[in-house]
Amino acid sequence: MERSIAESIEKLQEQVAEVDSDAQKWKADDSKVNNLHENVERIHSLQSHLKEQDRVELWKQCVRLWNVCVSLSSGKENRDQLSQISMRHAACLLSDAGGELPGGSPMDTAERTTTFWCKTGELNIKNARFEMAENCLSRATEKSKPLENAHQLPLDSLKLLLNLYTQRSICAREMKQSALASSLLAKARKLPGMLPAECSLEEKGVLSLLVLDAHITYALEANGECASDPTAVAEILQPTYEMIERLKYDAIEKNEEELLKQILDREQGCLTALAASHMVLESYEMAMRCLSILESSDGMDEKEASKIMYMQSKCLAELGQLEAAENTLKCMLDKKNFAPEAAYDVLYTFVKKGSFNNVPQLLEVIFAKSTEKNQLLASIIVQLLNLDSPASFSTAAAVLTNVKVANFLKGDAGKECKKIIWTCLWNHAGKHFLGKNFEMSSQAFAACLEFGEDSIKAKTARMAALSCLGMKDVEKASEYANLSEEHSPGSLATLFTKLKIVLSGADADASAVSQLVQAIAQAHDCTESHLRLVCREAIEADRFDVALSALEALHNLVRNGCDTMMTEAVILRCALRVVDEHMQMDQFTHYYNIAASRLSEVGTMKFLGSIEDKQVSLSWFAHIGWNKALAAGKEELWDFIPDIVDSADSYFEAIKNVATLNRSELCELVSRQQMCMLLGAAAALECHKKGRAGDDALVRARQFLSTWKDYGSGVQQIDVDSSLPSSHVYQCLLEFDLACREKNASALTQVLERAKTFPQFTGDSALRMASLTLGDDQYQNRQVAVACLYVALQLFLRADVPDYPSVAETMRTLIVKKKSTVSKKEEDELALYKEALQIVQGASSKYPQDEIHWLAATSWNQGALHSKFHRPRQAKLWMDIALQFAQRCKVLEGKQDAMREELQHVVHALGN
């Protein structure tokens, strides 16, 4: 251990000698300093093992190293600050390891070590290393304990303690530890009381002045402004001012004029800082009290007087005493050395309080003397516009039209400010435009025209036009739109603005609108979205006819080969969107068929033109037609559907030519075509029923159904499992309806037989067929109807859960229709009743009671009729079956005995 310590000390001697040599050259080698510091830390860690001669040597090297630092810091250029800090810190560690100062007292050691640590902390503060500074200063505080505990100390020792408290309070302020700072400064105020009683007033005064300086130094930032913690500043400065008052009294009493003069200087600084802190705390009345004391003091130079006036006018303005504040500000402006920035601050307070009357005149004086005209002018305009009131905007306009201001902005010196003002005006105008405050936005955009570059005047004029249009001032809007066109001929945005203005009129000229639309379409940067915007502008103006006439004119241009970026598909798509949302079905059908005919005439590729995703575009046309046809069906607008589905089918067919479809996609597309054909056939048949289109409707229905079959064959070739079973049933119903209207009995039977082969063919479907043959007298076929009813009856009974209400309804219809038309044989009719009885017996209680009652009643009436005409054998057959029905009918429970008695009479008559 001893050897290690000896080697380290020997190495220390060499290292200190090296840095001392470097110091002679006014430099410090960072690597050498770092090595030195590491060695010192090692020695410091071994201090408990040091001998007395080691400690003496350490003190020797400590003093030599400290002197090296002093030498470096006192050079012509104070270089290598961080190296100096590192060396000073090393010296401090050596003083710690050295223990008692050789040949000195404990007080001497405390003074020396406190000085070292305090100076090192101070240097860290200057380099903004506050945590390091606090570490050094807290070590200094520990070393200073013997000094602090003394009852009396000489002036130099007290100055050392004062410097320690001052530096540590500044460090605490920067680290936001205001409580620590307050306690340190409180200790500083007690230091004058530690001077020996025999000290002169001058010595006491010197120390007291230093204490005052410490407080004021804490209260002010490095730039001379009030510190960022105004509450702590006020708490510290208040006792400071009281201390000043006591010192003033002592100096006056002892007739110490020089001391009094210095105290008065401190008083001015203290009151100024105290007033500033109250202003930050918005305690303006307290600030005014401090300022009134300052105002009455003598010996204040004009610059300081101007500052006091600024603070007074600011406080008065904040307190709402605007007239007094304005008078004070005017007095300040009369001073030669007033600060324009301070005057502006007061002026902004007027603005903030809503007092605009004399702002332009006061600003002119401030502006004339300001060296930062760009910043000053831009700031006041920004603040005025941010207040966002008509009065503040008018004041801003008055400032900008001031002759001196206007001349400044026209020159090169005002270019920067001009840009800032334009940006602020633009943002102000935009905010009001979005908020629909068009009066304010029009004024602001008009002001922007005065400050904007030529490259942005077109846009500014356009926005001014839209603002005027929002105010319903069409004439002014047109003027601005024309101005925009002058600055940017052919601009798409300007053309849109002019279109909006024209459409806003009560009687928009269709030819003028058409010309504008053509100009828009011929613009080099026009796209489909722009054309949609044309339509939207017309639609917003409720001028759908104008929108369509414009689109038609544009369509004609394209068809005639005019060089535009539009394609027929795009134009007609826009037209369809307009009529789909806002107009009648006949207009939709008109434009939809035009598009389909153009697709057929010019071919798919030419029709779509430069559209990239051709499949998507064709799908849009196909599906909007399909959806429109479905909507027409819901509204029973049957006349339009055949043409629409014909056109939709042409788009579906065109998709096959432009897209490579896989099996699943192709099946889906063809299935949709089949549905189109079925819908077309259904609509054609409905038209025939309504007496419209005559036999042509039947011919067209036949064409639709024939095309459906062709598509069906195509689907089966692609994938036998991909056809839609439900569509086959629907096709059979339509085919049956058509055969019925064509009075083709054999076709009716064939369709019924084919329909029965589909599992999806239900009893309801069969009933639907029966109803078709039982409808209009001219298309009735009772025989086929009965066949359909038999099929329906079988299908209802074969269901997993038989539908007995439908069975009962079908049975009643079958009995009625067969009795009246098909068969005159009573045996057949009786067979139907027997079949019904079997169904009722099998249904248990599920067969509707009212239908059982009907069967019982009608069969009994039939037997009663035979009995009346003395046909007992037939009467017995009918009455016997009626009685069986009655036994299963709750309504007839009380009549069964009478029925049996009547039946016995018939049996007796039969026996005779």
Side-chain angles (χ1 to χ4, degrees):
M1 181 66 72
E2 291 181 5
R3 184 176 179 181
S4 176
I5 292 172
E7 289 176 353
S8 296
I9 292 176
E10 185 178 350
K11 185 178 180 181
L12 172 66
Q13 292 169 339
E14 295 173 359
Q15 290 172 326
V16 172
E18 285 182 0
V19 296
D20 192 3
S21 175
D22 289 341
Q24 305 300 322
K25 304 170 187 176
W26 302 105
K27 68 176 184 178
D29 189 314
D30 289 343
S31 62
K32 292 179 182 179
V33 172
N34 290 337
N35 292 334
L36 168 66
H37 200 277
E38 289 176 3
N39 190 30
V40 169
E41 287 181 335
R42 185 165 53 254
I43 294 171
H44 187 269
S45 67
L46 299 172
Q47 59 180 304
S48 60
H49 303 285
L50 294 175
K51 297 180 180 179
E52 184 61 31
Q53 63 268 26
D54 295 333
R55 297 182 186 278
V56 172
E57 182 60 32
L58 290 181
W59 264 110
K60 181 180 177 182
Q61 297 304 320
C62 168
V63 173
R64 184 179 182 185
L65 184 58
W66 189 264
N67 290 334
V68 169
C69 297
V70 172
S71 176
L72 284 171
S73 63
S74 62
K76 294 180 180 179
E77 295 183 14
N78 191 3
R79 303 174 181 174
D80 303 317
Q81 290 284 315
L82 297 181
S83 294
Q84 286 187 48
I85 291 172
S86 183
M87 286 191 289
R88 287 180 185 272
H89 191 262
C92 291
L93 292 176
L94 287 173
S95 70
D96 276 0
E100 292 290 336
L101 185 65
S105 65
M107 295 294 281
D108 293 334
T109 303
E111 282 195 18
R112 182 64 64 90
T113 54
T114 300
T115 301
F116 286 172
W117 282 110
C118 184
K119 188 62 179 178
T120 306
E122 185 178 350
L123 196 56
N124 274 299
I125 289 174
K126 289 180 180 178
N127 286 273
R129 300 174 64 180
F130 299 110
E131 289 187 7
M132 193 71 179
E134 172 58 22
N135 180 268
C136 293
L137 293 170
S138 61
R139 297 285 289 274
T141 303
E142 292 175 10
K143 299 297 180 183
S144 69
K145 290 298 181 185
L147 300 174
E148 288 184 337
N149 293 333
H151 294 293
Q152 292 183 341
L153 286 173
L155 180 60
D156 289 340
S157 298
L158 291 172
K159 284 182 179 179
L160 174 59
L161 286 176
L162 177 60
N163 187 46
L164 170 60
Y165 299 154
T166 302
Q167 297 303 324
R168 198 173 179 195
S169 67
I170 293 172
C171 186
R173 180 191 68 192
E174 297 298 334
M175 296 176 72
K176 311 300 183 187
Q177 298 175 355
S178 56
L180 175 60
S182 297
S183 66
L184 289 166
L185 292 173
K187 290 166 71 173
R189 290 195 294 273
K190 296 177 181 179
L191 292 178
M194 296 175 67
L195 281 168
E198 61 272 13
C199 284
S200 64
L201 179 62
E202 182 179 355
E203 288 181 309
K204 290 182 178 179
V206 168
L207 184 59
S208 297
L209 291 174
L210 291 174
V211 172
L212 292 176
D213 289 341
H215 284 66
I216 295 171
T217 301
Y218 172 82
L220 301 177
E221 300 279 16
N223 59 4
E225 297 296 328
C226 182
S228 57
D229 189 353
T231 303
V233 170
E235 290 175 354
I236 289 169
L237 288 180
Q238 194 61 43
T240 305
Y241 178 66
E242 295 169 2
M243 184 178 176
I244 288 173
E245 290 298 303
R246 290 195 299 272
L247 288 172
K248 275 172 60 178
Y249 178 80
D250 290 342
I252 293 171
E253 186 178 34
K254 302 291 185 179
N255 200 23
E256 291 285 347
E257 293 183 3
E258 184 60 30
L259 178 60
L260 180 61
K261 183 177 180 303
Q262 294 183 51
I263 291 171
L264 291 174
D265 289 341
R266 267 67 170 187
E267 180 185 40
Q268 182 177 324
C270 178
L271 286 171
T272 303
L274 187 56
S277 65
H278 283 307
M279 289 176 69
V280 174
L281 291 169
E282 298 183 2
S283 300
Y284 297 109
E285 292 182 355
M286 292 295 293
M288 281 299 295
R289 292 180 188 177
C290 298
L291 294 171
S292 62
I293 297 172
L294 281 169
E295 187 180 23
S296 61
S297 61
D298 298 328
M300 191 182 299
D301 60 28
E302 189 169 299
K303 185 176 181 180
E304 288 297 324
S306 177
K307 182 178 180 180
I308 299 306
M309 287 183 179
Y310 149 67
M311 297 174 76
Q312 285 179 318
S313 58
K314 170 80 172 175
C315 289
L316 289 168
E318 293 288 357
L319 290 168
Q321 302 176 28
L322 299 176
E323 185 177 352
E326 186 176 327
N327 292 334
T328 306
L329 179 60
K330 287 178 179 177
C331 293
M332 173 185 163
L333 296 178
D334 290 337
K335 301 288 184 184
K336 293 181 180 179
N337 297 322
F338 80 88
E341 293 75 17
Y344 163 73
D345 185 36
V346 179
L347 195 63
Y348 172 62
T349 305
F350 290 164
V351 170
K352 188 172 65 174
K353 293 290 184 179
S355 177
F356 306 110
N357 294 338
N358 297 320
V359 168
Q361 294 84 344
L362 294 170
L363 183 64
E364 183 178 357
V365 179
I366 302 170
F367 183 75
K369 293 189 179 182
S370 175
T371 57
E372 297 291 337
K373 289 182 169 56
N374 277 296
Q375 182 178 355
L376 177 68
L377 185 58
S379 296
I380 193 66
I381 296 300
V382 168
Q383 299 297 349
L384 283 167
L385 292 179
N386 285 344
L387 289 173
D388 204 14
S389 69
S392 63
F393 184 84
S394 299
T395 304
V399 169
L400 294 173
T401 54
N402 180 276
V403 176
K404 291 182 179 179
V405 172
N407 291 336
F408 169 75
L409 292 173
K410 288 177 183 177
D412 292 338
K415 281 186 177 179
E416 181 183 350
C417 183
K418 198 173 181 180
K419 289 180 181 178
I420 296 173
I421 291 174
W422 182 88
T423 302
C424 187
L425 283 169
W426 180 267
N427 293 337
H428 181 74
K431 180 178 71 173
H432 283 292
F433 184 82
L434 292 175
K436 300 188 182 303
N437 187 354
F438 298 116
E439 184 175 357
M440 288 292 289
S441 67
S442 64
Q443 294 175 13
F445 282 126
C448 283
L449 287 170
E450 298 295 325
F451 298 96
E453 300 291 337
D454 289 342
S455 59
I456 53 178
K457 284 192 174 179
K459 182 179 180 180
T460 309
R462 179 168 56 83
M463 294 305 297
L466 291 173
S467 296
C468 291
L469 186 61
M471 297 166 59
K472 310 299 183 185
D473 190 345
V474 177
E475 185 177 350
K476 194 69 175 176
S478 298
E479 291 178 11
Y480 281 120
N482 292 333
L483 179 61
S484 177
E485 194 168 27
E486 288 177 15
H487 286 284
S488 182
S491 164
L492 199 57
T494 302
L495 290 171
F496 272 120
T497 303
K498 295 187 77 173
L499 176 64
K500 197 175 184 74
I501 293 169
V502 171
L503 288 175
S504 68
D507 300 314
D509 186 353
S511 62
V513 173
S514 181
Q515 290 175 5
L516 279 171
V517 173
Q518 291 176 21
I520 290 170
Q522 292 173 354
H524 69 90
D525 53 346
C526 183
T527 64
E528 180 184 355
S529 61
H530 294 115
L531 192 57
R532 285 197 205 130
L533 185 58
V534 172
C535 296
R536 192 180 74 188
E537 295 294 342
I539 291 167
E540 286 180 356
D542 292 333
R543 297 298 300 269
F544 310 118
D545 56 332
V546 173
L548 288 176
S549 64
L551 288 167
E552 285 178 355
L554 186 54
H555 188 208
N556 291 332
L557 285 176
V558 176
R559 291 180 65 173
N560 295 332
C562 186
D563 185 19
T564 72
M565 295 184 69
M566 298 294 109
T567 67
E568 287 194 66
V570 170
I571 296 167
L572 290 168
R573 184 171 172 174
C574 290
L576 284 170
R577 279 181 170 149
V578 173
V579 296
D580 182 36
E581 294 178 12
H582 304 286
M583 308 192 83
Q584 300 299 321
M585 184 66 75
D586 57 343
Q587 291 169 310
F588 177 88
T589 307
H590 171 71
Y591 283 101
Y592 195 65
N593 291 340
I594 286 177
S597 64
R598 291 301 297 164
L599 174 68
S600 175
E601 290 171 17
V602 304
T604 304
M605 305 310 288
K606 187 175 180 180
F607 177 74
L608 296 174
S610 60
I611 295 175
E612 291 185 8
D613 199 332
K614 294 177 169 52
Q615 181 181 349
V616 170
S617 184
L618 288 170
S619 294
W620 184 89
F621 278 103
H623 285 93
I624 194 175
W626 168 250
N627 292 332
K628 203 69 176 178
L630 291 176
K634 290 179 181 179
E635 297 177 15
E636 298 187 0
L637 300 173
W638 307 110
D639 294 344
F640 301 106
I641 294 177
D643 288 339
I644 293 175
V645 296
D646 249 347
S647 298
D649 183 60
S650 65
Y651 295 118
F652 282 122
E653 196 65 27
I655 292 174
K656 300 176 185 177
N657 300 326
V658 300
T660 303
L661 304 175
N662 59 35
R663 175 179 294 182
S664 175
E665 291 170 336
L666 187 57
C667 286
E668 183 180 351
L669 187 145
V670 174
S671 296
R672 184 56 60 90
Q673 286 182 284
Q674 284 186 291
M675 295 305 295
C676 280
M677 295 302 102
L678 293 179
L679 182 59
L685 289 170
E686 288 294 334
C687 289
H688 187 267
K689 291 176 186 177
K690 301 293 183 183
R692 297 193 288 270
D695 290 341
D696 290 341
L698 297 181
V699 172
R700 198 160 190 189
R702 176 61 64 191
Q703 291 172 345
F704 281 125
L705 292 172
S706 176
T707 306
W708 179 90
K709 290 178 182 178
D710 294 339
Y711 286 147
S713 301
V715 170
Q716 289 176 357
Q717 290 176 8
I718 300 165
D719 188 344
V720 71
D721 295 326
S722 63
S723 57
L724 298 174
S726 59
S727 70
H728 287 282
V729 174
Y730 187 43
Q731 188 271 342
C732 287
L733 289 172
L734 294 174
E735 192 85 44
F736 192 89
D737 193 359
L738 177 61
C740 184
R741 293 188 169 278
E742 291 176 339
K743 301 179 182 179
N744 188 337
S746 61
L748 288 172
T749 304
Q750 291 173 7
V751 173
L752 176 61
E753 291 302 316
R754 183 160 60 89
K756 287 161 59 178
T757 63
F758 297 113
Q760 291 75 22
F761 186 72
T762 64
D764 289 329
S765 302
L767 284 180
R768 170 67 180 153
M769 286 182 171
S771 67
L772 291 172
T773 53
L774 295 173
D776 296 341
D777 292 342
Q778 57 178 325
Y779 302 119
Q780 283 186 359
N781 189 320
R782 306 289 176 168
Q783 188 173 355
V784 175
V786 169
C788 292
L789 290 170
Y790 268 116
V791 171
L793 188 62
Q794 293 167 4
L795 290 172
F796 285 134
L797 288 170
R798 288 176 191 167
D800 294 338
V801 180
D803 183 0
Y804 285 109
S806 297
V807 168
E809 180 184 357
T810 305
M811 180 58 74
R812 181 193 283 217
T813 306
L814 188 58
I815 290 171
V816 172
K817 297 302 179 184
K818 191 168 184 180
K819 177 180 178 180
S820 60
T821 58
V822 179
S823 176
K824 300 297 183 180
K825 294 180 180 180
E826 191 173 15
E827 292 83 356
D828 293 338
E829 185 179 359
L830 185 62
L832 274 177
Y833 275 89
K834 289 180 179 180
E835 186 176 351
L837 180 59
Q838 291 177 354
I839 294 171
V840 171
Q841 290 171 339
S844 184
S845 60
K846 296 178 182 177
Y847 204 93
Q849 286 288 306
D850 55 340
E851 290 296 323
I852 298 175
H853 187 190
W854 181 83
L855 288 169
T858 53
S859 57
W860 183 266
N861 291 340
Q862 191 77 358
L865 185 64
H866 282 295
S867 176
K868 181 179 179 180
F869 290 102
H870 306 292
R871 295 193 287 270
R873 187 180 64 80
Q874 290 93 333
K876 178 181 179 302
L877 291 173
W878 283 104
M879 286 183 174
D880 185 57
I881 199 168
L883 183 58
Q884 293 183 65
F885 280 124
Q887 289 171 352
R888 288 164 177 80
C889 182
K890 295 178 180 179
V891 176
L892 298 176
E893 285 180 355
K895 296 184 179 181
Q896 291 179 23
D897 292 340
M899 293 174 71
R900 289 189 185 94
E901 185 179 344
E902 185 65 27
L903 179 58
Q904 288 300 321
H905 289 305
V906 171
V907 171
H908 180 71
L910 183 61
N912 292 333

